[in-house]
Amino acid sequence: MGAKTNARNFASCCVALLTIAAAPHATAADDRIDLFELSIEELGNLVVTGTRIPGTDVAVPMTSLTREEIEQAGFIDLQDIFETLPQNFDEVTPDGRFANEGGSLLRGLNNTRVTAANLRGLGAESTLTLVNGSRRAGSIEGRVVDLSAIPLAFVERVEVVTGGRSAVYGADAVAGVVNIVTRRDFTGAESQLHFGSAAEGGGERLQLSQLFGAELGRGHLVAGYDFARSWPLDLADVGLLSLTENPEIGLTQLSLNAQAEVRRHSGYLSGRYALNDRVELYGEGLYTHREFEDFELRRFAGATQDSFTDTTSPSEHLALTAGARTELGGDWTLDAAVDFSEVNTERDTSLFADLGFTTVDSAFVASNEAAVSSVSTMFDGPLPALAGVTARAAAGLEWRREDFESSVDGIAGENADRSVRSAFAELSVPLLGPSRSDPRQLELSLAGRYDDYSDFGGTFNPQVGLIWTPLEGLTFRGAYSAAFRTPALAELESTTEAFLELAGDPVQGGAPVPVLFLQGANPALGPEEADTWSFGVDFRPELASWASLSLSWFQIEYDGRVEQPSINADRDVVLERAGRFPGLVTRDPSVEAAAAFLAADTDGFIGNDTGTAFDPGSQDVLAVFPDLVLFDNRVGNIAIEEARGFDFKASGEFDTEAGVFSFGLNLTHTLEHERRVTAASPSFSLIDEVGKPADTRVRASGGWTRGAYGAFVYVNY
């Protein structure tokens, strides 16, 4: 099927877009902020994603999309934004589910087609997604934040920082951080209506939203409601699905939805109230009910009836925040907050299969519940001057609890939790300038964070960055950070299974030999670790101050990735690929090694698809299978991944008598993205593989505005 000829193309064919502003709603947060023009004093309390110190910049590549830019581009949801961001890759998206060849276990679990950010193509679990700087509970067994549950009508801006930020935010910030900032300062009333369909017909999408905001004496209140619905787009209906039989498996796919039917209701409430000139209370709540429905039709060779899979999946997303900010004096601020978020997902699946020689008719209901609770307190402000240098610092403490529960047909499955105690500190030291008369600047940033996990123990992660401006308009920057990701609670499954299957063995001329597989839990599972580097230069030419250029180089070395060596669909070729799994494949095993595999089984049942009878209670497995091969397919910290490349950005805006003209270019080129299944395995490139990073991705834009009128064009490669 065409790579993007499915439902996502509807945006370019939108047949109606209406935005009604009942009152002016521009605020200071709506204005485009030019960091080149503002001093530290003028920046005030502006907080940039990637640092806890207000008014400071970060030494790693950063992209920010304002509300104005979101509206100009005609984006309808957050998935639209991240699909066009060159630094992001479509692993966990409704489109990404079709890239089965990539072998992603997480993507294979995306049965309800949620959307998650995946910076640098290192996996969605390696990108930390925040909302207003706070963590949220995830979908897909609690593993990733579902962007499709956050309506774009409630979003003020999107900030993306690439590069490890674990020293600032803790786990998961390996490839970078995505921060969704909501519209907390909106004033007035705004109504929006979007409707669109695919060019081939079908796949309609409707979205309605209403937002209100008002100043209320010492306080401010924002409230909103959003409704969205999408209708199915069947690839068979638009001629993008081959209706011929696959001879290898005797199957004809009769229908396949590129876009399923989804309904979403969302409510948003945000408020703040100043008790006095020094203390402000704030709170926010976001609730989303999302219901997914999908139906697939197929026919097996020799069948008299069509087979189908019918899936319905409602999910509830709730996030609550309450806190207080206090001015302590001496420009120091205290911010204390309590956050709670929860995602409940239920998947009701009915399956009927006529295989020609037998029929299968089954149904099951699977439920997952993930929750995150946290209490945090943070101080920030200037330190006493030393040798004429005034450094700024931020420090804080955080306690967090994560919970995950699952069940199938009411029978409890995984039930896991962990608590995390954290302490962090960050320092920004202006070693040189700038001043009004001297633009030269040299700024050092240091950060460190210690996290103590109830299930993994402690981990410390440092970070260092340097920003140097030798002359006006030219800035060099570099950064190093250590980062980590703890296994998701769902990955800490408590069961291990052993089973026997046949696999072709090239050592035996391709003849099938029995393989004893062991897969599931691994008691030695630990955090993934990474080292990230970035270097860059920003240039704003004096003769063309309306334009800016940026070039950044990045390198990420990711060790101990949690990996299942071979996904289930590849079990029949594991011996052909034995070179990828050194240390995991054991030929001619000892009696003790074979017994250890059988003893590790926790369900008391040894599956056997070899065609040869075997009773583990009364028979010796090596006596029954003298040519037995062992394959340790348990999830473990085994994979190594390395990525390096560069980003190039250009932007500009200049006034003429005919109006304001603007342009932009955002390019990412991946020089190398290699992976090894184990430390001793040969490496192989992931560049341009299905579902993995393309070597070059570009988004270019051009625009014109004059008064209330404007026109914009975008090109994506």
Side-chain angles (χ1 to χ4, degrees):
M1 68 195 72
K4 292 292 178 186
T5 317
N6 54 35
R8 308 306 305 176
N9 271 348
F10 82 94
S12 62
C13 316
C14 192
V15 298
L17 184 153
L18 173 65
T19 301
I20 306 170
H25 58 272
T27 67
D30 291 307
D31 296 333
R32 301 180 67 175
I33 300 169
D34 192 338
L35 296 177
F36 288 101
E37 298 295 339
L38 299 179
S39 67
I40 293 296
E41 292 78 8
E42 292 168 329
L43 280 165
N45 289 325
L46 174 67
V47 178
V48 176
T49 298
T51 177
R52 301 276 191 174
I53 303 176
T56 61
D57 206 351
V58 291
V60 293
M62 178 177 174
T63 298
S64 180
L65 194 67
T66 66
R67 184 70 203 174
E68 179 184 15
E69 292 166 327
I70 290 171
E71 293 173 348
Q72 289 174 352
F75 291 127
I76 294 178
D77 57 29
L78 284 171
Q79 180 179 327
D80 289 341
I81 291 176
F82 284 93
E83 274 198 340
T84 60
L85 182 67
Q87 292 77 26
N88 185 70
F89 296 88
D90 296 345
E91 179 193 28
V92 181
T93 66
D95 295 334
R97 71 181 288 267
F98 295 106
N100 296 321
E101 296 89 336
S104 167
L105 184 62
L106 181 60
R107 183 172 60 240
L109 293 172
N110 191 12
N111 300 302
T112 57
R113 306 193 197 180
V114 305
T115 298
N118 176 18
L119 298 177
R120 303 299 187 200
L122 290 173
E125 292 174 288
S126 300
T127 295
L128 177 61
T129 299
L130 307 172
V131 178
N132 296 324
S134 300
R135 289 176 179 263
R136 291 290 184 263
S139 299
I140 313 183
E141 299 180 340
R143 299 169 189 250
V144 294
V145 174
D146 183 8
L147 296 174
S148 68
I150 306 174
L152 194 56
F154 303 159
V155 174
E156 180 63 49
R157 67 182 183 274
V158 177
E159 296 179 339
V160 178
V161 175
T162 52
R165 297 281 97 180
S166 287
V168 178
Y169 298 110
D172 307 331
V174 177
V177 180
V178 168
N179 189 22
I180 310 299
V181 181
T182 57
R183 303 177 74 177
R184 294 168 290 179
D185 296 322
F186 173 81
T187 300
E190 180 182 273
S191 304
Q192 291 190 6
L193 164 66
H194 297 273
F195 180 81
S197 67
E200 300 87 352
E204 296 86 359
R205 291 178 65 192
L206 171 69
Q207 188 161 338
L208 302 164
S209 68
Q210 181 63 55
L211 197 68
F212 297 99
E215 295 282 353
L216 302 173
R218 287 178 171 268
H220 192 102
L221 187 68
V222 179
Y225 168 76
D226 183 273
F227 170 76
R229 181 177 179 183
S230 62
W231 283 263
L233 177 64
D234 187 349
L235 297 179
D237 290 344
V238 295
L240 294 175
L241 181 66
S242 173
L243 300 179
T244 59
E245 180 180 310
N246 184 329
E248 293 184 5
I249 56 177
L251 174 67
T252 303
Q253 189 76 31
L254 301 176
S255 73
L256 187 64
N257 287 327
Q259 176 175 284
E261 183 165 359
V262 179
R263 296 180 183 87
R264 186 190 69 200
H265 297 270
S266 299
Y268 171 68
L269 184 65
S270 174
R272 66 175 188 268
Y273 181 77
L275 292 177
N276 50 49
D277 293 339
R278 302 174 67 89
V279 180
E280 180 184 69
L281 306 179
Y282 62 88
E284 184 169 283
L286 175 63
Y287 170 80
T288 292
H289 174 86
R290 181 179 182 269
E291 188 156 338
F292 165 91
E293 299 178 23
D294 195 18
F295 183 85
E296 289 187 13
L297 198 62
R298 61 188 70 86
R299 178 177 287 266
F300 290 94
T304 59
Q305 305 176 72
D306 291 339
S307 301
F308 67 86
T309 303
D310 190 7
T311 302
T312 302
S313 178
S315 61
E316 310 281 340
H317 305 250
L318 175 65
L320 301 171
T321 297
R325 297 186 186 91
T326 304
E327 299 294 334
L328 301 176
D331 290 331
W332 277 83
T333 301
L334 167 65
D335 193 329
V338 177
D339 291 279
F340 172 78
S341 60
E342 185 177 66
V343 176
N344 295 312
T345 304
E346 182 177 288
R347 184 162 57 92
D348 188 344
T349 302
S350 298
L351 170 68
F352 173 78
D354 183 347
L355 303 176
F357 57 90
T358 187
T359 61
V360 178
D361 194 350
S362 66
F364 67 90
V365 177
S367 300
N368 293 319
E369 179 179 323
V372 175
S373 308
S374 67
V375 178
S376 63
T377 180
M378 189 187 72
F379 301 84
D380 71 83
L383 297 176
L386 181 64
V389 175
T390 301
R392 296 187 65 87
L397 300 172
E398 181 181 278
W399 175 88
R400 185 172 79 250
R401 178 185 170 93
E402 302 173 2
D403 294 270
F404 175 74
E405 296 181 8
S406 67
S407 65
V408 178
D409 291 333
I411 301 174
E414 299 301 318
N415 187 347
D417 64 77
R418 68 162 59 109
S419 60
V420 189
R421 295 176 297 175
S422 307
F424 56 88
E426 190 176 357
L427 186 66
S428 176
V429 185
L431 301 175
L432 177 66
S435 65
R436 295 293 181 183
S437 58
D438 188 351
R440 291 180 301 170
Q441 178 183 2
L442 182 63
E443 182 175 326
L444 173 68
S445 62
L446 300 169
R449 181 182 177 108
Y450 179 78
D451 296 275
D452 182 24
Y453 283 77
S454 60
D455 48 358
F456 292 113
T459 174
F460 176 76
N461 291 271
Q463 175 182 301
V464 58
L466 194 66
I467 300 176
W468 176 43
T469 302
L471 51 90
E472 186 172 2
L474 181 64
T475 299
F476 296 93
R477 48 186 165 73
Y480 162 80
S481 64
F484 74 105
R485 186 189 82 84
T486 54
L489 291 175
E491 292 173 330
L492 303 176
E493 57 181 305
S494 57
T495 60
T496 302
E497 60 177 332
F499 54 89
L500 288 154
E501 286 191 6
L502 295 176
D505 188 359
V507 175
Q508 303 293 334
V513 300
V515 180
L516 179 57
F517 288 86
L518 185 64
Q519 71 180 40
N522 187 336
L525 206 62
E528 303 174 343
E529 298 179 348
D531 292 311
T532 70
W533 292 265
S534 68
F535 301 96
V537 56
D538 302 318
F539 180 53
R540 190 160 191 169
E542 184 176 353
L543 297 179
S545 59
W546 45 266
S548 63
L549 305 173
S550 175
L551 180 66
S552 303
W553 175 86
F554 66 88
Q555 177 171 316
I556 303 172
E557 296 182 0
Y558 207 165
D559 295 329
R561 299 216 63 179
V562 174
E563 179 92 341
Q564 182 181 3
S566 179
I567 62 174
N568 292 341
D570 294 336
R571 288 205 301 257
D572 58 337
V573 295
V574 293
L575 297 185
E576 296 177 19
R577 300 176 178 176
R580 289 189 178 187
F581 315 119
L584 304 178
V585 177
T586 304
R587 298 181 182 274
D588 301 319
S590 65
V591 173
E592 293 78 13
F597 262 50
L598 294 174
D601 183 86
T602 58
D603 62 9
F605 175 77
I606 306 298
N608 184 2
D609 291 332
T610 64
T612 300
F614 169 62
D615 181 5
S618 61
Q619 293 178 291
D620 179 2
V621 66
L622 292 181
V624 178
F625 303 104
D627 52 350
L628 184 70
V629 178
L630 305 182
F631 183 72
D632 189 347
N633 198 35
R634 290 177 295 177
V635 171
N637 296 96
I638 56 175
I640 295 176
E641 201 161 342
E642 297 181 1
R644 59 178 56 88
F646 63 84
D647 301 322
F648 175 74
K649 298 178 183 179
S651 62
E653 183 176 281
F654 53 94
D655 290 319
T656 70
E657 293 183 357
V660 178
F661 290 87
S662 61
F663 69 89
L665 179 71
N666 188 357
L667 177 150
T668 286
H669 181 72
T670 303
L671 297 168
E672 179 182 281
H673 193 137
E674 295 188 342
R675 191 169 202 174
R676 286 178 280 172
V677 177
T678 71
S681 300
S683 62
F684 54 94
S685 176
L686 297 178
I687 295 178
D688 292 336
E689 283 197 3
V690 176
K692 295 298 180 180
D695 59 352
T696 304
R697 301 189 70 200
V698 186
R699 178 170 173 84
S701 64
W704 164 83
T705 57
R706 185 172 184 178
Y709 301 94
F712 305 89
V713 61
Y714 301 86
V715 178
N716 299 293
Y717 171 78

XYZ file of all heavy atoms in Angstrom, residues 105 491 493 495-499 501 515-522 525 562-575 577 580-586 597 600 629-638 677-678:
426
model
N 8.455 -5.011 19.118
C 7.503 -5.629 20.026
C 6.482 -4.610 20.503
O 5.293 -4.912 20.598
C 8.254 -6.232 21.220
C 7.422 -7.010 22.237
C 6.771 -8.218 21.585
C 8.291 -7.450 23.406
N 6.974 -5.061 31.613
C 8.082 -5.905 31.174
C 8.609 -6.796 32.289
O 9.378 -7.716 32.038
C 9.223 -5.028 30.637
C 8.877 -4.318 29.350
C 9.943 -3.333 28.906
O 10.638 -2.770 29.768
O 10.070 -3.130 27.682
N 7.242 -9.090 33.872
C 6.267 -10.159 34.023
C 6.827 -11.265 34.910
O 8.031 -11.515 34.957
C 5.871 -10.722 32.659
C 7.030 -11.229 31.831
C 6.570 -11.756 30.486
O 5.707 -12.638 30.467
O 7.077 -11.280 29.471
N 6.064 -14.549 34.817
C 5.988 -15.905 34.288
C 7.096 -16.155 33.270
O 7.525 -15.246 32.556
C 4.622 -16.160 33.613
O 4.449 -15.222 32.543
C 3.493 -15.998 34.618
N 7.533 -17.385 33.234
C 8.511 -17.840 32.249
C 7.999 -19.160 31.677
O 7.539 -20.018 32.434
C 9.893 -18.059 32.886
O 10.324 -16.840 33.490
C 10.911 -18.483 31.836
N 8.063 -19.296 30.372
C 7.579 -20.528 29.766
C 8.666 -21.177 28.932
O 9.480 -20.505 28.297
C 6.342 -20.264 28.902
C 6.559 -19.287 27.760
C 5.326 -19.132 26.894
O 4.529 -20.082 26.812
O 5.166 -18.060 26.286
N 8.665 -22.523 28.981
C 9.558 -23.322 28.156
C 8.704 -24.150 27.208
O 7.656 -24.673 27.599
C 10.419 -24.229 29.025
N 9.126 -24.245 25.953
C 8.355 -25.028 24.982
C 9.282 -25.524 23.884
O 10.361 -24.963 23.641
C 7.202 -24.208 24.402
C 7.604 -22.891 23.814
C 7.973 -22.778 22.487
C 7.609 -21.748 24.598
C 8.351 -21.565 21.949
C 7.987 -20.523 24.071
C 8.359 -20.439 22.741
N 9.853 -26.599 19.847
C 9.414 -26.421 18.469
C 10.528 -26.872 17.547
O 11.693 -26.993 17.960
C 9.063 -24.952 18.186
C 7.762 -24.500 18.789
C 7.329 -23.135 18.263
O 7.996 -22.618 17.345
O 6.329 -22.590 18.776
N 14.093 -27.458 19.119
C 14.657 -26.337 19.869
C 13.824 -26.150 21.130
O 12.600 -26.071 21.073
C 14.659 -25.037 19.042
C 15.243 -23.886 19.854
C 15.428 -25.222 17.751
N 14.498 -26.103 22.272
C 13.829 -25.829 23.537
C 13.963 -24.331 23.821
O 15.046 -23.833 24.112
C 14.461 -26.640 24.667
C 13.873 -26.433 26.072
C 12.379 -26.738 26.099
C 14.613 -27.286 27.099
N 12.844 -23.619 23.672
C 12.813 -22.171 23.881
C 12.499 -21.874 25.338
O 11.702 -22.548 25.978
C 11.726 -21.516 23.017
C 12.030 -21.478 21.559
C 11.712 -22.557 20.737
C 12.614 -20.361 20.985
C 11.976 -22.511 19.380
C 12.880 -20.308 19.633
C 12.566 -21.385 18.824
N 13.103 -20.821 25.842
C 12.779 -20.286 27.161
C 12.533 -18.800 26.983
O 13.407 -18.069 26.508
C 13.940 -20.518 28.136
C 13.699 -20.126 29.599
C 12.606 -20.989 30.209
C 14.982 -20.244 30.405
N 11.310 -18.347 27.325
C 11.026 -16.930 27.156
C 10.091 -16.448 28.249
O 9.381 -17.229 28.876
C 10.457 -16.630 25.777
C 9.057 -17.112 25.497
C 8.637 -16.744 24.073
O 9.420 -16.821 23.124
N 7.389 -16.344 23.914
N 10.117 -15.124 28.441
C 9.306 -14.506 29.478
C 10.163 -13.688 30.410
O 11.044 -12.932 29.984
N 9.940 -13.865 31.704
C 10.587 -13.027 32.710
C 12.075 -13.319 32.804
O 12.541 -14.410 32.524
C 9.925 -13.253 34.068
N 12.812 -12.279 33.202
C 14.239 -12.412 33.459
C 14.528 -11.710 34.785
O 14.441 -10.481 34.866
C 15.053 -11.781 32.328
C 16.536 -12.052 32.461
O 17.043 -12.302 33.547
N 17.251 -11.989 31.358
N 16.752 -8.485 34.997
C 16.458 -7.312 34.175
C 16.794 -6.027 34.924
O 16.460 -5.870 36.109
C 14.970 -7.319 33.796
C 14.574 -6.587 32.521
C 15.244 -7.224 31.316
C 13.051 -6.632 32.355
N 16.575 -3.283 26.733
C 15.695 -4.401 27.051
C 15.126 -4.953 25.751
O 14.469 -4.238 24.996
C 14.558 -3.949 27.986
C 13.565 -5.083 28.202
C 15.134 -3.467 29.313
N 15.426 -6.205 25.488
C 15.116 -6.763 24.181
C 14.719 -8.224 24.308
O 15.291 -8.979 25.108
C 16.353 -6.660 23.277
C 16.187 -7.228 21.895
C 15.726 -6.185 20.899
O 15.205 -5.133 21.335
O 15.883 -6.403 19.701
N 13.730 -8.630 23.540
C 13.470 -10.050 23.332
C 14.251 -10.434 22.087
O 14.028 -9.863 21.018
C 11.988 -10.338 23.130
C 11.688 -11.818 22.955
C 10.211 -12.102 22.720
O 9.409 -11.176 22.624
N 9.846 -13.360 22.639
N 15.202 -11.370 22.179
C 16.086 -11.653 21.040
C 15.346 -11.920 19.737
O 15.706 -11.395 18.695
C 16.871 -12.882 21.504
C 16.868 -12.773 22.991
C 15.544 -12.174 23.353
N 14.300 -12.724 19.785
C 13.564 -13.058 18.566
C 12.082 -13.005 18.859
O 11.610 -13.643 19.807
C 13.948 -14.461 18.075
O 13.230 -14.804 16.910
N 11.345 -12.220 18.071
C 9.908 -12.158 18.275
C 9.284 -13.470 17.835
O 9.867 -14.252 17.086
C 9.273 -10.973 17.518
C 9.488 -11.111 16.015
C 9.829 -9.656 18.030
C 8.768 -10.049 15.206
N 8.073 -13.719 18.305
C 7.448 -15.023 18.084
C 7.365 -15.407 16.624
O 7.523 -16.578 16.261
C 6.054 -15.033 18.705
C 6.098 -14.982 20.218
O 7.129 -15.292 20.809
N 5.012 -14.590 20.847
N 7.134 -14.428 15.748
C 6.959 -14.735 14.328
C 8.239 -15.244 13.684
O 8.204 -15.823 12.597
C 6.459 -13.500 13.582
N 9.385 -15.062 14.357
C 10.674 -15.445 13.770
C 11.257 -16.720 14.376
O 12.405 -17.056 14.118
C 11.695 -14.308 13.958
C 11.319 -13.066 13.175
O 10.587 -13.207 12.187
O 11.752 -11.973 13.565
N 10.483 -17.426 15.185
C 11.057 -18.569 15.894
C 11.533 -19.675 14.957
O 12.484 -20.397 15.276
C 10.035 -19.139 16.885
C 9.789 -18.255 18.095
C 9.292 -19.065 19.267
N 8.066 -19.768 18.987
C 6.864 -19.391 19.417
N 6.733 -18.286 20.126
N 5.798 -20.102 19.152
N 10.895 -19.809 13.796
C 11.274 -20.905 12.899
C 12.595 -20.640 12.181
O 13.126 -21.531 11.521
C 10.170 -21.169 11.876
C 9.852 -19.940 11.044
O 10.141 -18.825 11.506
O 9.311 -20.094 9.934
N 13.142 -19.410 12.294
C 14.402 -19.098 11.601
C 15.514 -18.722 12.576
O 16.535 -18.190 12.164
C 14.196 -17.959 10.572
C 13.264 -18.404 9.459
C 13.676 -16.692 11.251
N 15.334 -19.021 13.869
C 16.339 -18.587 14.840
C 17.681 -19.280 14.614
O 18.741 -18.680 14.836
C 15.849 -18.820 16.288
C 14.675 -17.923 16.604
C 15.514 -20.288 16.523
N 17.685 -20.513 14.148
C 18.962 -21.192 13.923
C 19.636 -20.677 12.660
O 20.866 -20.643 12.579
C 18.750 -22.705 13.852
C 18.208 -23.345 15.138
C 18.158 -24.853 14.994
C 19.063 -22.955 16.341
N 19.560 -17.644 11.891
C 20.097 -16.357 12.327
C 20.939 -16.498 13.592
O 21.122 -15.528 14.332
C 18.947 -15.378 12.586
C 18.080 -15.106 11.363
C 16.920 -14.207 11.745
N 16.093 -13.879 10.598
C 14.963 -13.161 10.666
N 14.544 -12.719 11.841
N 14.257 -12.903 9.582
N 23.311 -13.916 15.015
C 22.844 -12.712 15.700
C 22.747 -12.920 17.208
O 22.601 -11.958 17.959
C 21.466 -12.295 15.174
C 21.447 -11.734 13.772
C 20.073 -11.157 13.473
N 19.994 -10.562 12.143
C 18.941 -9.872 11.686
N 17.888 -9.718 12.470
N 18.947 -9.359 10.477
N 22.753 -14.182 17.657
C 22.449 -14.474 19.055
C 23.582 -15.212 19.770
O 23.350 -16.252 20.389
C 21.174 -15.319 19.147
C 20.043 -14.843 18.284
C 19.523 -15.648 17.285
C 19.499 -13.583 18.472
C 18.473 -15.217 16.491
C 18.446 -13.141 17.686
C 17.931 -13.950 16.685
N 24.804 -14.725 19.693
C 25.883 -15.436 20.397
C 25.617 -15.471 21.900
O 25.225 -14.470 22.494
C 27.127 -14.618 20.056
C 26.611 -13.278 19.678
C 25.289 -13.508 19.026
N 25.833 -16.657 22.488
C 25.604 -16.822 23.913
C 24.190 -17.195 24.272
O 23.919 -17.590 25.412
N 23.267 -17.068 23.310
C 21.867 -17.400 23.576
C 21.466 -18.738 22.961
O 20.443 -19.308 23.341
C 20.944 -16.298 23.042
C 21.212 -14.885 23.574
C 20.255 -13.887 22.930
C 21.074 -14.846 25.090
N 22.246 -19.227 21.990
C 21.994 -20.513 21.342
C 23.021 -21.517 21.849
O 24.230 -21.271 21.781
C 22.081 -20.391 19.805
C 21.889 -21.760 19.154
C 21.050 -19.395 19.289
N 22.533 -22.635 22.375
C 23.424 -23.661 22.925
C 23.189 -24.978 22.207
O 22.108 -25.561 22.312
C 23.180 -23.855 24.431
O 23.338 -22.606 25.104
C 24.157 -24.870 25.011
N 16.675 -25.170 31.940
C 15.658 -24.577 31.079
C 14.275 -25.076 31.477
O 13.317 -24.300 31.603
C 15.940 -24.920 29.613
C 16.658 -23.835 28.861
C 17.804 -23.255 29.379
C 16.194 -23.389 27.635
C 18.469 -22.254 28.696
C 16.838 -22.384 26.942
C 17.981 -21.811 27.471
N 13.038 -23.671 34.803
C 12.695 -22.250 34.819
C 11.240 -22.001 34.446
O 10.710 -20.913 34.679
C 13.606 -21.479 33.866
N 18.623 -28.306 20.727
C 19.294 -27.007 20.791
C 18.524 -26.135 21.780
O 17.286 -26.122 21.781
C 19.340 -26.320 19.407
C 19.994 -24.948 19.512
C 20.071 -27.191 18.400
N 19.227 -25.424 22.639
C 18.606 -24.502 23.589
C 18.665 -23.080 23.049
O 19.679 -22.666 22.484
C 19.318 -24.555 24.943
C 19.453 -25.916 25.631
C 20.152 -25.752 26.982
C 18.109 -26.589 25.800
N 17.569 -22.336 23.227
C 17.548 -20.929 22.808
C 16.943 -20.096 23.925
O 15.764 -20.227 24.251
C 16.754 -20.740 21.523
C 16.777 -19.310 21.020
C 17.923 -18.773 20.476
C 15.651 -18.498 21.116
C 17.961 -17.463 20.027
C 15.680 -17.192 20.667
C 16.841 -16.669 20.121
N 17.754 -19.233 24.535
C 17.300 -18.361 25.613
C 16.691 -17.109 24.993
O 17.392 -16.176 24.605
C 18.477 -17.995 26.520
C 18.024 -17.265 27.782
O 16.855 -16.843 27.828
O 18.839 -17.114 28.704
N 15.360 -17.094 24.921
C 14.644 -15.994 24.272
C 13.984 -15.080 25.302
O 13.040 -14.365 24.991
C 13.586 -16.555 23.312
C 13.128 -15.526 22.299
O 13.906 -14.692 21.853
N 11.863 -15.571 21.936
N 14.479 -15.115 26.531
C 13.911 -14.240 27.558
C 14.287 -12.777 27.304
O 15.357 -12.478 26.771
C 14.409 -14.666 28.944
C 13.848 -15.987 29.427
C 14.438 -16.374 30.765
N 15.865 -16.623 30.679
C 16.626 -16.929 31.727
N 16.088 -17.015 32.928
N 17.924 -17.152 31.571
N 13.391 -11.901 27.721
C 13.672 -10.473 27.641
C 14.858 -10.165 28.552
O 14.926 -10.639 29.689
C 12.442 -9.658 28.078
C 12.786 -8.182 28.200
C 11.300 -9.860 27.094
N 15.820 -9.396 28.062
C 16.997 -9.084 28.857
C 17.676 -7.815 28.408
O 17.345 -7.246 27.359
N 18.634 -7.352 29.202
C 19.431 -6.173 28.845
C 20.568 -6.600 27.927
O 21.713 -6.719 28.346
C 20.003 -5.523 30.099
C 18.938 -4.993 31.024
O 18.552 -5.658 31.968
N 18.451 -3.803 30.747
N 20.238 -6.828 26.657
C 21.221 -7.437 25.767
C 21.582 -6.582 24.565
O 22.674 -6.692 24.025
C 20.723 -8.812 25.278
C 19.346 -8.685 24.606
C 20.654 -9.801 26.436
C 18.841 -9.972 24.005
N 22.064 -7.311 18.568
C 21.133 -8.001 19.456
C 21.790 -8.271 20.803
O 21.159 -8.181 21.850
C 20.628 -9.306 18.813
C 19.706 -10.058 19.763
C 19.892 -8.996 17.515
N 23.079 -8.607 20.791
C 23.861 -8.750 22.020
C 25.204 -8.063 21.803
O 25.559 -7.702 20.677
C 24.107 -10.230 22.386
O 25.045 -10.797 21.458
C 22.815 -11.026 22.354
